[in-house]
Amino acid sequence: MAALNSLIRAGMLAAAACVLAAAGLPSTPVSAGLQKLTDHYHYMPPAAGLPAMGAVVTREGALFIDPPPDADHSWLPGDAGRSGGGTVRWVVATGPSAVRAGAGQSLLKSGAALILSEAMESMLYPVKREELFGPPEANERVVEARIRPAGPSPRFAFERQMRLFPAGVEVRIVALRHRARTAADVVVFLPADKVLHAGELFTPRAFPEIDVAQGGSAAGWVDGLRQAVDLVPILKSAMPQPKPDPSKPSPEEKTLEELVLVVPGRGPLSNLQEMKDTLEAALRMRTEAFRAAAAGRSLRSYLAQGNLSEYRQWENFEAFATLLYESASIR
């Protein structure tokens, strides 16, 4: 199994190098299975059932995204993050499954802070109903214990968005407003590095596996993906561009969307353009699902529509389309 995981990681890293080269981004190996993709963002491909891990590394500390339970910081370059008594200062979970799988347990035991959305905290650490009765001061103690549990690891919950600025590097941690793959999905965006860590919200050329047991919604996922796409500002240059020299072969031009690196929880590295293409496909499928349901057509008829044929080869097409149709039928 270890040998297989090594081969999988090697293949993922080779694919990552191709994506980064196409986008004009550097690609520097850090150690086995890890790669520095931008000035501050490091990446470890998914393997052995675990999602891809991201790490934002600065001289004032490192932030790990969906790290495995046994993650360490031995690969960090130089003196990154030596301040504050530890190398890794924050662990971010992009979904409740990552926390349940023990994301970063070794780091949390060393004192790193767990950052998660309030929706995720409510799902993972619910306060028992009977504990909410009694004198007001007792309720305050319960709430305080929930926000700051006993142990070496603090926990910080945010409602919509949290911003960190280690060494001046902006890190936006955003909770999706919609029920998407789950009812508590989170994405992380680094504006200066042009990196969006999407976690299991997005997989290139695939439709998501909606976790209904954790409050997920196929119809809501479309709106959640749109929110993630809209996080990334695409600014068109107002300066006139030089005309190409007709005597020279024109280099392959990349759109601004293709220059934004998107890191999925599963599958190869991607970019914002592929994410937008997936959003367009999902919007079309949702529209057609509501039309089919309103017209009283069957699920089989909806799945067989000719204008959806280009998406049938995408992973998880039928399961996702079925959930869309079912959500449209009960409205």
Side-chain angles (χ1 to χ4, degrees), residues 123-184:
M123 185 182 298
L124 295 167
Y125 308 104
V127 174
K128 295 179 181 179
R129 182 175 179 82
E130 57 268 22
E131 291 177 338
L132 298 179
F133 294 94
E137 59 271 19
N139 290 342
E140 290 175 6
R141 285 198 296 272
V142 170
V143 173
E144 178 68 16
R146 178 182 173 190
I147 295 176
R148 299 185 181 277
S153 175
R155 187 169 77 226
F156 300 103
F158 63 96
E159 181 181 3
R160 295 185 179 180
Q161 180 173 227
M162 175 181 282
R163 292 190 182 189
L164 299 176
F165 294 87
V169 178
E170 182 180 5
V171 182
R172 297 182 191 176
I173 309 167
V174 179
L176 299 187
R177 297 187 300 270
H178 310 274
R179 293 169 53 207
R181 205 190 74 81
T182 72

Side-chain angles (χ1 to χ4, degrees), residues 3-230:
L4 178 59
N5 290 340
S6 297
L7 288 174
I8 292 173
R9 291 182 187 276
M12 295 290 290
L13 290 174
C18 293
V19 171
L20 294 167
L25 295 171
S27 174
T28 307
V30 177
S31 68
L34 293 159
Q35 202 166 31
K36 181 178 180 181
L37 303 187
T38 68
D39 287 345
H40 306 102
Y41 182 84
H42 296 70
Y43 168 75
M44 184 172 73
L50 297 171
M53 184 188 86
V56 182
V57 181
T58 76
R59 67 178 182 274
E60 292 183 359
L63 175 148
F64 277 26
I65 308 167
D66 291 340
D70 58 349
D72 62 35
H73 48 74
S74 60
W75 57 273
L76 288 173
D79 293 327
R82 301 300 179 192
S83 63
T87 301
V88 180
R89 296 178 60 187
W90 308 276
V91 170
V92 176
T94 62
S97 296
V99 180
R100 289 194 171 108
Q105 283 300 312
S106 59
L107 304 173
L108 298 177
K109 289 177 181 177
S110 299
L114 176 63
I115 297 177
L116 70 176
S117 67
E118 288 185 354
M120 198 185 306
E121 184 187 50
S122 298
M123 185 182 298
L124 295 167
Y125 308 104
V127 174
K128 295 179 181 179
R129 182 175 179 82
E130 57 268 22
E131 291 177 338
L132 298 179
F133 294 94
E137 59 271 19
N139 290 342
E140 290 175 6
R141 285 198 296 272
V142 170
V143 173
E144 178 68 16
R146 178 182 173 190
I147 295 176
R148 299 185 181 277
S153 175
R155 187 169 77 226
F156 300 103
F158 63 96
E159 181 181 3
R160 295 185 179 180
Q161 180 173 227
M162 175 181 282
R163 292 190 182 189
L164 299 176
F165 294 87
V169 178
E170 182 180 5
V171 182
R172 297 182 191 176
I173 309 167
V174 179
L176 299 187
R177 297 187 300 270
H178 310 274
R179 293 169 53 207
R181 205 190 74 81
T182 72
D185 295 306
V186 168
V187 297
V188 181
F189 178 48
L190 279 70
D193 289 62
K194 297 181 180 178
V195 175
L196 176 65
H197 191 110
E200 295 192 82
L201 176 74
F202 166 72
T203 302
R205 293 192 64 79
F207 296 107
E209 295 182 4
I210 301 299
D211 193 338
V212 178
Q214 296 192 104
S217 162
W221 176 83
V222 182
D223 296 316
L225 188 65
R226 192 207 307 265
Q227 182 186 349
V229 166
D230 290 344

